[in-house]
Amino acid sequence: MVEHIVLIKFSPETTKEQKEELIRRTLQLKNMIPGILDIQQGFNFSNRSQGYEIGLTVRFEDKASLDHYGPHPAHQEIVTYLKKIGMEDSIIVDFHLH
């Protein structure tokens, strides 16, 4: 299995409603992209967040599933939406689970 972690930082103009819509859309990917075992996303409440407001974890069957996820049209729609609403930065970490 593979764990995919994403932290997202937004522009000050990005609204809470836009962020909530992002979460709603992202969670639907589990039913749209093969190989996703679990997907979780939510607002960061840590005081150590360094400005990253939303966290995402996606657990995949294997690396091939992760490789398929990136270019998948449903995922690319999320990427386009992120750019539209003002994503400023992201940190992505992928690793194998043992």
Side-chain angles (χ1 to χ4, degrees), residues 21-98:
E21 175 66 12
L22 168 68
I23 292 170
R24 187 191 68 74
R25 291 183 186 193
T26 301
L27 295 178
Q28 293 177 349
L29 294 178
K30 183 172 183 183
N31 303 318
M32 303 167 88
I33 302 177
I36 295 176
L37 300 175
D38 185 55
I39 186 166
Q40 302 292 325
Q41 188 173 42
F43 288 96
N44 185 0
F45 58 81
S46 171
N47 61 3
R48 302 170 291 167
S49 68
Q50 298 181 28
Y52 290 86
E53 299 177 60
I54 290 183
L56 167 71
T57 61
V58 186
R59 186 161 292 177
F60 293 96
E61 291 176 3
D62 50 28
K63 187 172 180 308
S65 298
L66 171 63
D67 292 343
H68 176 73
Y69 168 82
H72 192 282
H75 176 257
Q76 286 303 307
E77 284 181 26
I78 299 292
V79 172
T80 299
Y81 183 70
L82 275 165
K83 292 175 183 174
K84 177 183 167 190
I85 67 171
M87 179 182 74
E88 287 189 342
D89 193 21
S90 64
I91 296 173
I92 300 169
V93 177
D94 299 311
F95 58 91
H96 289 280
L97 298 172
H98 298 282

